[in-house]
Amino acid sequence: MKTTPASRELFRVQPVAAGCLVTLALMAGGAHAQQAQTEPERQAAEKAATDKTLETVTVTGIRRGIEAAISVKKNSDSIVEAISAEDIGKLPDVSIAESIARLPGLSAQRVAGRAQVISVRGLSPDFATTLLNGRELVSTGDNRSVEFDQYPSELLSGVTIYKTPDAGLVGQGLSGTIDLLTVRPLNFSNRVVTLNARGQHNSLGKAADSSANGNRLSASYIDQFADRTIGVSLGVAHQETPVQEDQVGLYEPWAVNARPGVPTGTFVSDGIKALRRTGKSTRDAVMGTVEFRPTKNWTSVIDGFWTKAKQEDTANQFEMNLQYNGNSPCSPACNWTSTTVNDNQTQTGGTITNVVPLIRGMYNKREDKIVATGWNNKLKFDNGISVMADVNYSRATRNELNLENNTQLTASQNLLDTAKLAFASGGFSQITPTLDYSNPANLFLRGTVYGSGYGKVPSVKDELTGFKLVTNIPSPAMTSALFSDFDIGLNYADRSKKKRQPEGNIDVGAQGATTIASDLQYSPVNLGFAGLGTIPAWNVPAAVARYMVFNPSDTANYLISKAWDVEEKTTTAFFKGNIDTTTFGIPMRGNVGLQVVSVKQSSHSNYYDGTAPAGQQVKPIDDGKTVTDFLPSLNLAWSLGNDQTVRLGLAKQVARPKVDQLRSALDFGVDNATGKPGASGGNAKLDPWRANALDLSYEKYFGNKAYVSAAGYYKDLRSYIYTQSFDSYDFSKFVAGYVPPKTCGVGGASQCPPVLTTGTYSAPYNGSGGKLQGLELTASLPLNLITPALNGFGIIASASFNHSNISVKDPESASSVGSGNIALPGLSKQVYNLTAYYERDGFEARISQRKRSDFIGEIGNFNGARTLRYVVGESIVDAQIGYNFTEGSLKGLGLLAQVNNLTNEAYRTYAVTKDRPLEYIKWGRTFLIGATYKF
């Protein structure tokens, strides 16, 4: 049988539970016993995928992967999507996230030019969970969503996405559950060795000290020993990817503010920057599995995954504040002339005087490490009972270093400039200054209008230890007409996540203002795309070390709340009945069950109390609670004639709050004039997101070669988490012992009032939800089904249409998305995917497009926090051509040429309306050429 998600509180169980019971009652009336299934569906689907992927010799290449994925979907009890490798070490895309994003109802958000995070069915990545071989994964991000580019596609045999839940799937998400699969060596009939090598080139070309070239190398080894009782698989992958980026960005918010020379009532931005980002990303990964099967009744598997990723890049940047030149507002005034304004009252350009541009170096280094390991044992007894025990551990760490250098013309006074600006919404905005900023000998590292520099050293550690025990029991005679067997299980997971973020000013050293020496200078970068010429680029860390002082700290009053610990101890018990019967003469399979999830959530942090005596101002704060949800689920699949399947899913589902929302950390203070306390921060007492879900799917198969399907879903989100202000929050424990100042008011003329015990706390709270529904249409067809003349040609196409009446407020992102209600983050109303391919006589070609409409995405801002942006919908096109030798001395060799982002699609964000741009970014095309050898 299969596995997937479910959710809810006891007092809300009735509607879905009742639906499950009514459906089962109808089934029982016409039930006839079928052959019992003793293998859990997830393992059966995994083995089917591997068999198709790696042992079928009559079907190869693209068709092999497609047919294996169709087999997984067809044989599932749940509504799933699947990807299977065309061959060992050869998933169809460079990134596993790109492959996932091509599936119906799924979409990706690009980060640094790479598909990195995945949205399932219009919900943000935090609503989905990711597993590795059925075990929940930790994340190097601040929250739960996995960054998929850390998992090399070369080391995965496939991916299964569960869109409907079942009681046996632990760690499930509300929108879906993504299970990454590695190979099981005893599923192979013989030894397999595969070597891959690819070179790559970025079309933006080299700049500063960074090359435009990279490479991808991998090797996989699979073998069996001791009469096929022991199997071993080992895979290694190495990647070096150039970081090249052109960007123009405008300050947020766009707001109606009075500016000299700008018509009253016009929306304006207060700053603009243009940059060329250069650098390199490297990733090394190792996957290993040892499988031991001494008898047909006992299988023991130990598997492990390790990856280390490092990215270093520098934004070589021209930046200019349009309302601050050392004084705010500008003095002398920043006057606009030749101002242009569109019909939406948005400024589109003009010439501004008395501005002070900077040339900045913004350096970022990030190092991520992930280790995940598990030991799984399955025992089958002669009485038909089987037991599965699994222990697992995973850990993720992230360490960053963010440094900035600021330079200005002249060593002392601010040198004022005049610049012509043209703000563009569909291209790069243009900047034309009057002064020359290309000569590093004229640029001084000094206390500029933005200071001399700032730095941060964020770090994250995420650890998870888990244990799972499942017993499968054959159905007794009294229930065998309906159920083939039952699963009873218990899972325990202990997860902790910690974040620290020391930071501080980077000050000029004792030597004072200075130019940066030639030995630290790189080749200048060209900002001609933004209307500028070349600007200097330099070694930022070396300049900090030679000329500056940086002592990051986490003890300053404004930094105390940026450090937090969150821990979750989750106990999950479940019961699942696996259905194998007929209803009114129609074969039916599926499952019904209940999952009970109890989470003890807690957080430890500190807060700064400015009202306390010196030396006693940093105080601990611990908070938390236990949350229990009862999650019934039902999955049914009716096998109609002519290879047709109808599926129904009913479930209660939950998604845990974001980890940083559960922090107890807060910023606290008392208004002396009123005595009213106030604070902002996290909420360790949050309940999860909860939903009732209904899924219905129709699928028509043509063996394992092709299928068409139509699936509809409906989710009633009973709760949602919003940042809100609670005006009657009890601050008693914070103000105990507080003594108000003796005098208040102008000149200290009045008595300060006593402190109040209640005030306003702004934090994430549970609020009302809403409805989310959608339709997904899919076709996977080899065109020789239409006519033999099209033998070798095929298409895979899907269209997803999503709608929600949920609107939320995010005060923390008001500067970019506004202070009013916004649409559901992550929701694109339309998502389209199309792949056309040709494969015959060793030759293969493929072109793919993934397209999504506008959505609200989540990005990291300079403060190290997550913020929302309106993101313009995009269309990404990739193309690939190759040839595989199937005979002769070159048998086993495959050649490949590939282009990713063929049209050099831009990444665009905006503030509320598209004529108010924020970022316009191009990451270039990526060209790859390489070879695969299998023996």
Side-chain angles (χ1 to χ4, degrees), residues 421-432:
L421 301 174
F423 306 134
S425 57
F428 289 112
S429 296
Q430 300 295 295
I431 310 168
T432 309

Side-chain angles (χ1 to χ4, degrees), residues 426-661:
F428 289 112
S429 296
Q430 300 295 295
I431 310 168
T432 309
T434 303
L435 301 176
D436 179 17
Y437 297 88
S438 64
N439 188 350
N442 296 334
L443 292 167
F444 288 81
L445 195 60
R446 49 161 286 198
T448 69
V449 293
Y450 278 2
S452 54
Y454 198 80
K456 296 178 294 187
V457 192
S459 65
V460 167
K461 183 177 181 181
D462 193 357
E463 284 189 284
L464 189 151
T465 302
F467 173 76
K468 185 177 183 180
L469 182 66
V470 181
T471 299
N472 179 267
I473 303 171
S475 178
M478 64 180 295
T479 59
S480 61
L482 183 59
F483 296 101
S484 61
D485 52 274
F486 299 95
D487 292 325
I488 303 171
L490 181 69
N491 188 89
Y492 176 77
D494 187 342
R495 183 174 189 173
S496 64
K497 193 151 196 166
K498 302 177 181 180
K499 183 176 183 183
R500 302 292 183 267
Q501 189 164 303
E503 53 188 80
N505 291 321
I506 303 177
D507 299 316
V508 174
Q511 82 286 331
T514 179
T515 58
I516 298 172
S518 60
D519 65 309
L520 301 184
Q521 296 286 340
Y522 298 142
S523 299
V525 297
N526 189 349
L527 302 184
F529 62 87
L532 294 155
T534 61
I535 63 169
W538 61 88
N539 186 329
V540 173
V544 170
R546 183 179 299 183
Y547 303 118
M548 310 187 81
V549 177
F550 176 43
N551 294 309
S553 167
D554 56 6
T555 59
N557 58 0
Y558 68 99
L559 298 175
I560 299 299
S561 64
K562 291 190 176 185
W564 46 261
D565 296 0
V566 171
E567 185 171 13
E568 296 173 328
K569 298 180 184 293
T570 305
T571 302
T572 304
F574 65 87
F575 175 84
K576 182 176 71 169
N578 296 310
I579 300 165
D580 196 347
T581 186
T582 61
T583 54
F584 308 105
I586 300 174
M588 183 184 69
R589 67 186 192 274
N591 54 69
V592 63
L594 176 68
Q595 194 176 91
V596 181
V597 183
S598 179
V599 183
K600 182 180 180 182
Q601 60 195 42
S602 60
S603 177
H604 170 76
S605 307
N606 293 319
Y607 73 98
Y608 185 86
D609 183 357
T611 69
Q616 303 175 32
Q617 295 163 317
V618 178
K619 298 180 178 180
I621 178 170
D622 296 276
D623 204 358
K625 74 172 188 177
T626 298
V627 179
T628 301
D629 284 281
F630 295 80
L631 311 175
S633 63
L634 172 70
N635 287 285
L636 298 175
W638 287 273
S639 299
L640 308 181
N642 200 24
D643 223 357
Q644 301 174 89
T645 300
V646 172
R647 303 181 191 274
L648 171 70
L650 290 170
K652 286 183 174 291
Q653 301 174 301
V654 296
R656 298 285 303 143
K658 295 180 181 180
V659 180
D660 62 356
Q661 291 178 326

Side-chain angles (χ1 to χ4, degrees), residues 99 254 836:
S99 294
W254 281 82

